[in-house]
Amino acid sequence: MNGKTVIPFGPQHPVLPEPLQLKLVMQDEKIVEAIPAIGYVHRGLEKLTETKEFTQNVFVIERICGICSFKHALAYCQGMENLMGIEVPDRARFLRVIWGELHRMHSHLLWLGLLADAFGFESLFMQAWRDREKVMDIMEATAGSRVIISTNQIGGTRRDISPEMLAKIVDVVNDVKEDIERVEKVFCNDYTVKHRMVGIGVLSKENAKLWGAVGPMARGSGIAEDVRTLGYAAYGELDLEPVVETDGDCYARMKVRLRELYQSIDLIKQAIAKIPEGPINVPVKGNPNGEVISRVEQPRGEALYYMRANGGKTLDRLRVRTPTFANIPTLLKMLPGHHLADVPILILTIDPCISCTER
Amino acid sequence: MFDMIGNIFKNLGTKPATRCYPFEKREPFEASRGRVKGIEIEKCIFCGICSRKCPADAIRVDRNAKSWEIDPFKCVICGACAEVCPKKCVIMDEAYTQPTTAKDKLTYVQAAKEESQSQAG
């Protein structure tokens, strides 16, 4: 092999929370090529949705991913609502924004912790997860569970949030904001962090477009693309600007996620200030018929759902294109030319969610 | 670097973020979906809606034997059964399921007379 070595990275690796395998073809310390191998956590959930009633599918779909379960359910519910012509009550649309942004916050805080762990900054990792716990507690107090909150249903939401609880959410997010400001200083200014991130894995704007990067990957390279700006749920009535950084390196992608935390806090406060009174769901009548595409912005980027129904209780087909699936090609193109020691950071900055990808 | 040192000193001065678990337990939140505790069997009409709506197929209802059975190890605690029950007799509990040594199902049988009996096994 002309002095080339193949080093398997994963599926078990300290920085990987989920099993992704990359076969790294190395020339000395530099990567020449990366060959992915996925399929370690395939659970056949897409097939399972064809055997369950379309209303039950919400629970199945939430289990595609633990971290962005609410967003998956949201994509499915919005698609089915469009297909069946259901008008969702205003209060439910705002509740969806509040829970959705809480989910983005806990996902990004989790990611920041994992990133700190990847470059060996244990105390920073603990700090980020400590702050995340406040968001998780709010989730459990409002929805009943920490991660798979099961509050979406076709036609609205299953639970309401009381005015006292809404006030408490504002207090908690303000509190979390102070915490984030403290860790942000470390993430943005620390010598160790900068040394590991600045100038590593540069993705130009043209390449990000060419390879189909989504979410914080694309926004870190200067593409102002955010599905939320299309105004689904109640995002249309809230003040929202996509967070964009132009450098395109790992540091820029981290800054995008840090700034998105502030954006989420702002959106939650806006939604709580504007939330109207009224019902939270409408009954679903009849069965779906036809096909529909639904898109939402998840913490990791844009997720695309395709559903086809035939007028019966079950769906003919459900297909999910998750953000990590879209970002893996970009990762493979970015890896060649980098040192082996930079691989964990590069893999983490796409925020891989392999459970999503393999479903 | 000094930012992190500030954080560390602040954390040293405050109480730990974690709990000394077996000795100090956290009270569950009021709205928490901890587990499906069981059913008020004397109220149950054995319509079977809960078992049809269960996404995990954890509930089995037998109209003839007047029995209601849940497999707590299949249950995903979504709360759909409690929501659709016309008699609102499925009981949800906010505390999580305790670990056990055997994978027992929870079976309730309605007594023929007014008296009700419940048994686990």
Side-chain angles (χ1 to χ4, degrees):
Chain A
M1 293 247 297
N2 326 336
K4 285 180 187 162
T5 327
V6 179
I7 295 183
F9 188 91
Q12 301 293 328
H13 191 278
V15 305
L16 288 174
E18 287 181 279
L20 165 73
Q21 192 187 26
L22 291 173
K23 293 189 182 83
L24 302 171
V25 182
M26 310 286 297
Q27 180 106 51
D28 300 332
E29 271 289 293
K30 288 233 162 114
I31 299 159
V32 183
E33 197 190 351
I35 304 155
I38 55 173
Y40 290 95
V41 283
H42 175 66
R43 293 153 293 159
L45 290 179
E46 275 184 11
K47 190 70 194 162
L48 186 64
T49 58
E50 292 166 25
T51 62
K52 301 270 172 203
E53 280 180 30
F54 70 96
T55 45
Q56 283 180 327
N57 276 346
V58 183
F59 300 118
V60 179
I61 280 157
E62 275 186 324
R63 280 157 180 84
I64 288 179
C65 177
I67 302 302
C68 37
S69 66
F70 185 84
K71 299 283 185 177
H72 277 283
L74 181 60
Y76 175 73
C77 291
Q78 283 185 349
M80 295 309 278
E81 282 151 9
N82 284 344
L83 189 60
M84 299 174 76
I86 298 169
E87 187 79 28
V88 183
D90 283 343
R91 190 171 175 87
R93 291 192 295 119
F94 277 87
L95 287 174
R96 282 175 172 183
V97 169
I98 295 169
W99 274 313
E101 291 308 316
L102 283 172
H103 255 248
R104 190 180 313 277
M105 279 176 75
H106 98 76
S107 173
H108 281 355
L109 281 168
L110 175 115
W111 179 82
L112 285 170
L114 288 176
L115 180 77
D117 190 36
F119 50 65
F121 207 147
E122 287 288 326
S123 49
L124 189 57
F125 151 62
M126 301 278 181
Q127 192 71 41
W129 280 31
R130 184 179 181 159
D131 302 341
R132 173 177 179 257
E133 209 53 33
K134 293 175 185 166
V135 185
M136 305 305 285
D137 278 352
I138 273 288
M139 214 96 80
E140 188 170 357
T142 56
S145 276
R146 281 163 59 87
V147 199
I148 299 184
I149 63 173
S150 293
T151 47
N152 259 318
Q153 69 177 28
I154 299 172
T157 54
R158 289 172 74 200
R159 288 195 182 204
D160 202 352
I161 305 181
S162 65
E164 301 84 61
M165 194 45 102
L166 286 174
K168 198 184 159 199
I169 294 178
V170 175
D171 288 348
V172 171
V173 292
N174 281 334
D175 193 16
V176 174
K177 190 176 179 184
E178 279 172 29
D179 293 338
I180 298 168
E181 273 160 5
R182 279 194 284 129
V183 291
E184 186 196 10
K185 277 186 207 156
V186 187
F187 273 111
C188 290
N189 304 331
D190 196 276
Y191 171 77
T192 327
V193 182
K194 274 189 165 173
H195 192 66
R196 292 298 303 271
M197 312 263 287
V198 176
I200 304 289
V202 179
L203 177 68
S204 67
K205 191 174 178 178
E206 293 73 37
N207 283 343
K209 223 167 214 165
L210 186 68
W211 299 329
V214 294
M217 282 290 277
R219 290 197 286 275
S221 297
I223 302 175
E225 208 173 66
D226 192 325
V227 187
R228 286 177 293 174
T229 50
L230 296 179
Y232 68 85
Y235 287 114
E237 291 150 55
L238 305 173
D239 194 15
L240 170 76
E241 273 289 312
V243 175
V244 179
E245 292 281 336
T246 47
D247 294 344
D249 56 359
C250 289
Y251 189 64
R253 291 193 277 276
M254 181 197 72
K255 278 213 292 206
V256 167
R257 291 189 172 99
L258 266 170
R259 282 174 55 202
E260 277 189 359
L261 279 168
Y262 293 116
Q263 187 191 36
S264 291
I265 292 170
D266 182 43
L267 282 168
I268 291 171
K269 284 198 220 162
Q270 281 187 50
I272 289 176
K274 284 188 180 171
I275 191 166
E277 289 296 322
I280 51 163
N281 54 37
V282 287
V284 180
K285 291 192 185 94
N287 291 330
N289 197 358
E291 55 181 356
V292 71
I293 277 179
S294 162
R295 297 194 295 163
V296 297
E297 183 74 20
Q298 288 186 342
R300 293 167 180 79
E302 174 197 323
L304 188 141
Y305 268 66
Y306 167 80
M307 279 86 76
R308 194 173 70 220
N310 58 1
K313 274 202 174 311
T314 56
L315 295 179
D316 267 358
R317 180 81 173 103
L318 179 126
R319 174 88 176 95
V320 190
R321 202 291 317 265
T322 58
T324 306
F325 186 77
N327 278 335
I328 284 179
T330 323
L331 171 70
L332 300 179
K333 292 281 186 184
M334 262 177 0
L335 280 171
H338 284 96
H339 287 275
L340 184 62
D342 292 329
V343 177
I345 305 281
L346 269 166
I347 292 181
L348 267 181
T349 53
I350 77 161
D351 199 356
C353 179
I354 309 303
S355 297
C356 279
T357 312
E358 297 175 8
R359 303 174 298 280
Chain B
M1 189 174 142
F2 293 106
D3 295 319
M4 196 61 210
I5 288 174
N7 277 336
I8 289 169
F9 275 109
K10 188 168 180 281
N11 287 343
L12 280 175
T14 51
K15 69 179 178 90
T18 48
R19 251 171 241 103
C20 194
Y21 168 64
F23 310 106
E24 190 190 333
K25 284 182 184 157
R26 188 190 70 164
E27 283 302 309
F29 291 101
E30 228 172 77
S32 188
R33 283 195 313 268
R35 62 174 172 149
V36 178
K37 201 178 180 184
I39 188 168
E40 292 173 57
I41 194 71
E42 65 275 14
K43 276 195 195 169
C44 181
I45 53 169
F46 303 99
C47 59
I49 296 178
C50 51
S51 95
R52 282 200 298 279
K53 290 289 172 193
C54 176
D57 297 331
I59 301 174
R60 187 159 297 160
V61 180
D62 192 332
R63 191 183 285 255
N64 296 328
K66 288 199 182 274
S67 74
W68 187 93
E69 183 183 88
I70 185 166
D71 185 346
F73 292 89
K74 264 190 179 177
C75 176
V76 293
I77 319 166
C78 60
C81 47
E83 222 166 67
V84 296
C85 181
K87 290 283 170 190
K88 297 281 171 244
C89 58
V90 178
I91 315 162
M92 294 284 291
D93 190 14
E94 59 267 19
Y96 294 121
T97 323
Q98 294 297 313
T100 64
T101 48
K103 284 193 170 184
D104 287 336
K105 288 177 182 169
L106 221 56
T107 313
Y108 292 81
V109 182
Q110 196 175 49
K113 290 167 199 166
E114 280 183 16
E115 202 181 66
S116 69
Q117 83 180 70
S118 74
Q119 61 182 61

